[in-house]
Amino acid sequence: MSDLRELYQEVILDHNKNPRNFHKLDNANHSAEGYNPLCGDQLTVFVKTDGTTIQDLSFEGHGCAISKASASLMTSILKGKSTEDAFKLFDKFHHMVTGEMGSEPDAELGKLAVFAGVCEFPSRVKCASLAWHTLKSAISSGEQVSTEGDDL
Ligand code: ZN
C-alpha cells in the first residue's frame, strides 16, 4: 500500500509541476471561475462543447499541488467525453474523495484514483474537487463558483 501511495504522490507532483492543458482556450464557449477560500486555490476552467460532447477543455489559475494536479488530470481525462459522462465521473470522484466509496476506487476513475488518499484529509477535499465544481458550473451556467458555504 505504501508503494501505491508513493506512486500516487508522484503522479500528483508531476501534474502539479507540468500541468496538462494549462492555458486559456481561445475558442471556448463556456468558462467559469472557481475559488476555494479555505486554501486560496483559484481556477478558471475553459470548455468548448457542442452541448453534448466536451470537444476541448483547459484551465488557468494558481493553487496548491492537489488543486492543480486535479484540474490537470480532469482536463486530460474528460477531453472528448460527453458532458453526461463527465458529470457521472464527477459523482464517482466526489464519492471517492469524501470516502463514501470504500477502499477500492471505481475502475472507471482510472488515473483519478491517485486522489483516493484525499479522503483522509477532509480539508483537502475541496482542493481536489474545485476543478470539477468549476467545470460543472461552466457547462451549466458559466457563472463564478466558490466552494465557500457549499455542501461538498
Ligand atoms: Zn488547495
Side-chain angles (χ1 to χ4, degrees):
M1 191 60 200
S2 66
D3 283 354
L4 200 59
R5 284 268 156 95
E6 264 171 46
L7 177 74
Y8 283 180
Q9 212 156 34
E10 260 173 50
V11 174
I12 290 173
L13 290 177
D14 171 49
H15 276 266
N16 174 50
K17 228 164 126 185
N18 308 298
R20 321 301 196 262
N21 309 300
F22 188 60
H23 56 84
K24 189 172 187 282
L25 197 65
D26 286 329
N27 57 355
N29 50 8
H30 290 267
S31 72
E33 284 173 37
Y35 177 51
N36 172 18
L38 285 181
C39 181
D41 309 317
Q42 212 156 3
L43 294 175
T44 306
V45 173
F46 303 92
V47 191
K48 182 181 183 328
T49 170
D50 58 6
T52 49
T53 306
I54 297 175
Q55 293 160 318
D56 207 354
L57 77 168
S58 70
F59 77 104
E60 269 188 335
H62 55 87
C64 65
I66 303 256
S67 68
K68 221 162 148 185
S70 176
S72 172
L73 270 161
M74 179 191 80
T75 53
S76 1
I77 282 167
L78 295 185
K79 211 179 272 193
K81 281 209 172 16
S82 71
T83 51
E84 204 186 326
D85 283 350
F87 290 156
K88 273 188 205 156
L89 209 56
F90 178 28
D91 278 342
K92 288 186 179 174
F93 180 78
H94 197 247
H95 283 309
M96 177 182 74
V97 294
T98 51
E100 287 166 26
M101 205 152 62
S103 52
E104 281 297 308
D106 196 294
E108 265 183 61
L109 285 166
K111 270 191 175 175
L112 295 172
V114 297
F115 295 100
V118 166
C119 67
E120 289 169 38
F121 306 94
S123 64
R124 292 302 199 171
V125 170
K126 291 188 179 191
C127 301
S129 54
L130 178 65
W132 292 84
H133 280 288
T134 310
L135 172 77
K136 203 168 176 177
S137 158
I139 291 175
S140 39
S141 65
E143 282 165 19
Q144 187 173 1
V145 289
S146 168
T147 56
E148 195 173 25
D150 190 1
D151 180 25
L152 297 178

